[in-house]
Amino acid sequence: KFANGALYRLGLKGKPLEDLEGTGRDGKPLSIKDFRGKVVLIDFWATGCKPCVAEIPALEELRKSLAPRGMALLSVALDPEGGEVDRFMEYAKIDWPVILSQVNQNNMESAITLRYGIKGIPFKMVVDREGNLAASGYRLEDVLPTLDRLLLVPEIPGMNKPVGEPPKAALPAPLIEPPK
C-alpha cells in the first residue's frame, strides 16, 4: 500500500500537487490549493513522535523568518484522534494551519499517508508558488536547499515570473510614433 503511494509521490515531482486536502482544526476544509502563490513547507508529524515535536521550534523560527519572502507552513497531523492535536497545539502555541489526518495507531495508515507513501515521520514536502511538488524528504535538512532556492529571489508585486524570463511589463511609449 505504502509503496504505491511512494511511487505516486515520486512521480509528482515538478507536477501539480492538488490532492492534499482534509479537515482543519476548525472543522473546515483545508487544501494545498489555498496556498497557491506561496512556497509551502508541508510538515507531516504526530504528537507522540519525539523527533517531530523536537523540530517544532525550528519550524516556527523558519516560518517567522521566511513568511515575508512568501513561505507558508502547513502541517498534517497524523494522530489517532484530533483532540490530542488540539491540546498539544494550544500547549506549544502553534498557530499555523493543520490538516487532521487520523491514523490507525498500529500501522500509520490514513488516506493521506497511503496516498503519498509516507511510512515514517517527521516527513517534509515543499510545493512551489505554482503548486508543483518541488522536494520531499524525512528531515528538514533534506528540503532546505530547495526551500532556499525557491525563496532566493524576493517576490515583486506583479512580477511572479521565474528568474531569467523577461518581465511582460509595458515598455515606455516611444518618443516618435511610428506611421500608421
Side-chain angles (χ1 to χ4, degrees), residues 70-112:
M71 190 203 92
L73 178 60
L74 171 64
S75 288
V76 179
L78 304 169
D79 272 73
E81 56 186 74
E84 187 66 28
V85 174
D86 284 335
R87 285 189 292 280
F88 179 82
M89 291 187 73
E90 299 245 343
Y91 170 78
K93 295 180 174 57
I94 298 172
D95 65 347
W96 59 75
V98 177
I99 293 174
L100 302 175
S101 183
Q102 193 168 353
V103 296
N104 178 321
Q105 197 167 10
N106 298 325
N107 59 17
M108 282 290 292
E109 285 186 9
S110 77
I112 291 177

Side-chain angles (χ1 to χ4, degrees), residues 52-177:
C52 300
V53 172
E55 270 187 344
I56 288 176
L59 289 170
E60 176 64 7
E61 187 174 323
L62 194 64
R63 180 181 75 98
K64 284 182 178 176
S65 67
L66 295 178
R69 291 170 58 192
M71 190 203 92
L73 178 60
L74 171 64
S75 288
V76 179
L78 304 169
D79 272 73
E81 56 186 74
E84 187 66 28
V85 174
D86 284 335
R87 285 189 292 280
F88 179 82
M89 291 187 73
E90 299 245 343
Y91 170 78
K93 295 180 174 57
I94 298 172
D95 65 347
W96 59 75
V98 177
I99 293 174
L100 302 175
S101 183
Q102 193 168 353
V103 296
N104 178 321
Q105 197 167 10
N106 298 325
N107 59 17
M108 282 290 292
E109 285 186 9
S110 77
I112 291 177
T113 59
L114 289 173
R115 181 179 306 131
Y116 300 111
I118 299 169
K119 184 77 172 155
I121 51 175
F123 190 81
K124 311 286 182 270
M125 291 172 33
V126 176
V127 176
D128 68 18
R129 293 180 196 278
E130 289 76 39
N132 299 312
L133 180 62
S136 62
Y138 283 96
R139 300 172 329 162
L140 191 54
E141 293 81 22
D142 296 337
V143 298
L144 279 177
T146 300
L147 198 59
D148 189 46
R149 178 179 52 80
L150 293 172
L151 294 168
L152 186 61
V153 178
E155 187 173 333
I156 300 169
M159 303 285 286
N160 294 329
K161 298 294 178 195
V163 175
E165 186 176 319
K168 303 230 185 233
L171 297 173
L175 297 176
I176 301 173
E177 291 291 322

